[in-house]
Amino acid sequence: MELNEIQYFLKENITYLFSYLGAIQGVILAFIVLNYPHQHKTSNRILAVFLFILAYLLVIARISELVENPFFRLVYCLRFFAPIALVLYIQSLYKKINWKKQYWHLLTICLDFLVLFSLIVLKISTIGDDPIWSSFQVGVLSWGWFIFIYLIYFRLIIRSLRAYREKVFRNFSTLHNLGLKWVYQIYYGFLGLIVIDVLVGLFSFNFPNSYSPYHGLVNTITYTIFMYFVTIRGKLNPQIYQLRILESSPLPVSEKEIKYSNKNILEENKELTLLSLQVQKIIKEEKLYKEMGLSVNELADKIGSQTYLVSQAINSCLGKNFYELINRYRVEEAKSLLKDETMNYLSIVGIGFEAGFNSKTAFNTSFKKYTGVTPSEFKKNNT
């Protein structure tokens, strides 16, 4: 084969080559994720399934362009495993998955198979020489169904993200290295993939004569980059499993009685009230808020109490989550330091670190939230 023939072959098949290479890399990345870290196998397996499905979709998208049999499109019925896996992965970071309650997701896959099958039959069925449904009508229903299911699952993903965020705020005094930002990045990245899929798909649907294989390169490149991002960032953020470890630790049976009690009963509970006072005392006296990365588990160890009881006391009796409580103390400490002329040798950021904050952004955000002004404005008004 001559050079110009090779160049022509690559030009005409570049999308297919990139798709197959991207899919192979996706499978390799899925196996990498499957084996780290070993103590978090459930999360790893779910994330590996997520990556594998993305790789699978890359291949299927290209093969479906070559296969003329309309029933081949039934292989797309596995596509919804991607959002299912993402929902379960986020949930696995903060709680133990009850697999008996997750089988309904398989009904989504089966229902998708039936919908795809029905649409294909409608498209190829004819009465005389006329099709029962036109390609346009079938296409509208197909895209409508696709978007409908994804809207449902993105709602579930958002609910899981909110629950995860709430758990983090209840158990940690800082968001640094907890992977909360990374989990949101996975969500927005996956949302971006779906938006690109829909736009490219609608373009090819409405302008079939203008569509070319090069348009598929957009999907291929974004899918491949996203798979690498998920793998590398996940590898660099083992701290994201801290919350899962804390939440999965065995708890006494008495927690169930407290956890599901009426809120008013909890507030009247003398044990929790005394514990909340003890929490405030030890935080103030030992200035625990200056410890970056302080967790409710570490605080409970210092007090000699159960983690869930300390968390319940803070939320029920003090009306705050752990993150808010500690950062409020840090803001008060920062206010004192900003007023203290002997601390003028420290910069504003230095004051924030001295008070226990781990970043300039976290310091400025929390300070303005509780005082209504920035640290610089506060210092200017009080010196």
Side-chain angles (χ1 to χ4, degrees):
M1 185 179 289
E2 297 181 1
L3 180 60
N4 60 342
E5 293 178 332
I6 296 176
Q7 291 176 338
Y8 177 79
F9 175 81
L10 292 176
K11 181 180 178 180
E12 292 297 314
N13 297 278
I14 188 170
T15 301
Y16 295 95
L17 292 174
F18 270 84
S19 295
Y20 298 146
L21 288 174
I24 292 171
Q25 293 174 79
V27 172
I28 294 173
L29 293 173
F31 277 106
I32 292 174
V33 168
L34 193 60
N35 291 287
Y36 78 82
H38 295 290
Q39 64 269 33
H40 306 293
K41 291 183 178 180
T42 299
S43 297
N44 296 341
R45 288 169 179 169
I46 297 173
L47 190 58
V49 169
F50 178 68
L51 290 170
F52 180 79
I53 293 298
L54 294 184
Y56 172 82
L57 291 175
L58 277 181
V59 173
I60 293 304
R62 301 287 80 83
I63 296 178
S64 64
E65 295 174 356
L66 302 174
V67 178
E68 295 182 359
N69 188 334
F71 286 99
F72 182 80
R73 292 187 62 83
L74 290 175
V75 297
Y76 273 109
C77 69
L78 299 181
R79 57 189 171 176
F80 293 134
F81 268 121
I84 291 171
L86 186 54
V87 170
L88 295 177
Y89 174 70
I90 296 173
Q91 292 179 356
S92 74
L93 296 178
Y94 65 87
K95 69 177 183 180
K96 184 177 181 179
I97 301 292
N98 186 343
W99 292 105
K100 292 182 179 180
K101 294 183 178 181
Q102 306 305 324
Y103 289 120
W104 70 271
H105 293 296
L106 296 178
L107 295 178
T108 303
I109 304 299
C110 294
L111 185 59
D112 188 39
F113 179 88
L114 292 175
V115 169
L116 288 176
F117 182 82
S118 300
L119 291 175
I120 292 171
V121 171
L122 284 173
K123 186 176 181 179
I124 64 177
S125 299
T126 60
I127 297 179
D129 295 328
D130 297 323
I132 296 177
W133 285 50
S134 67
S135 296
F136 178 79
Q137 291 173 315
V138 172
V140 169
L141 283 178
S142 179
W143 278 107
W145 167 252
F146 175 84
I147 294 173
F148 172 72
I149 294 298
Y150 263 99
L151 286 175
I152 292 176
Y153 272 98
F154 272 113
R155 181 174 176 81
L156 292 176
I157 292 171
I158 291 173
R159 287 177 58 184
S160 300
L161 283 170
R162 288 175 178 171
Y164 179 57
R165 181 184 176 87
E166 181 184 346
K167 292 280 187 178
V168 169
F169 279 21
R170 288 187 61 170
N171 290 281
F172 296 96
S173 63
T174 178
L175 305 182
H176 184 61
N177 285 336
L178 285 177
L180 184 61
K181 181 179 179 181
W182 177 68
V183 176
Y184 272 92
Q185 288 173 339
I186 294 178
Y187 162 69
Y188 286 117
F190 184 59
L191 177 61
L193 291 185
I194 301 305
V195 170
I196 291 173
D197 270 347
V198 171
L199 292 177
V200 172
L202 291 178
F203 179 82
S204 64
F205 175 68
N206 290 289
F207 306 100
N209 296 327
S210 301
Y211 181 79
S212 72
Y214 292 104
H215 291 99
L217 274 176
V218 178
N219 307 63
T220 301
I221 294 173
T222 52
Y223 267 69
T224 304
I225 293 175
F226 180 68
M227 287 188 290
Y228 269 101
F229 170 78
V230 170
T231 305
I232 295 172
R233 289 287 289 168
K235 183 73 172 178
L236 297 176
N237 283 279
Q239 298 89 346
I240 62 175
Y241 299 104
Q242 291 186 58
L243 184 60
R244 176 69 181 88
I245 294 171
L246 181 63
E247 290 294 315
S248 62
S249 58
L251 299 175
V253 178
S254 58
E255 181 197 8
K256 295 181 180 179
E257 301 174 1
I258 296 177
K259 186 174 181 181
Y260 297 104
S261 295
N262 185 275
K263 184 178 180 181
N264 294 327
I265 296 176
L266 288 173
E267 291 175 346
E268 296 172 0
N269 190 296
K270 292 183 178 180
E271 181 184 358
L272 290 179
T273 301
L274 292 174
L275 187 57
S276 68
L277 295 174
Q278 192 176 359
V279 165
Q280 295 177 85
K281 181 180 179 181
I282 193 171
I283 290 175
K284 289 179 181 178
E285 292 182 351
E286 299 189 15
K287 295 191 174 183
L288 297 179
Y289 50 82
K290 287 193 172 186
E291 296 183 14
M292 293 186 185
L294 178 70
S295 68
V296 71
N297 192 35
E298 293 170 334
L299 178 60
D301 287 341
K302 292 179 182 293
I303 296 175
S305 180
Q306 296 288 339
T307 301
Y308 74 91
L309 283 176
V310 173
S311 179
Q312 198 70 55
I314 293 172
N315 284 268
S316 301
C317 301
L318 301 181
K320 301 178 180 68
N321 58 47
F322 183 68
Y323 179 84
E324 293 171 334
L325 176 67
I326 296 301
N327 279 282
R328 187 59 186 261
Y329 277 113
R330 287 170 177 166
V331 168
E332 292 301 319
E333 177 71 12
K335 287 166 64 177
S336 298
L337 295 175
L338 289 168
K339 292 178 181 179
D340 189 350
E341 294 184 358
T342 63
M343 304 298 291
N344 285 340
Y345 67 92
L346 287 175
S347 65
I348 298 296
V349 177
I351 292 291
F353 283 116
E354 184 67 22
F357 290 99
N358 67 320
S359 71
K360 179 181 178 180
T361 302
F363 177 39
N364 288 333
T365 302
S366 295
F367 196 93
K368 189 166 185 178
K369 175 182 177 181
Y370 293 115
T371 66
V373 295
T374 65
S376 299
E377 292 171 340
F378 181 87
K379 184 173 179 63
K380 183 179 179 180
N381 296 333
N382 289 274
T383 54

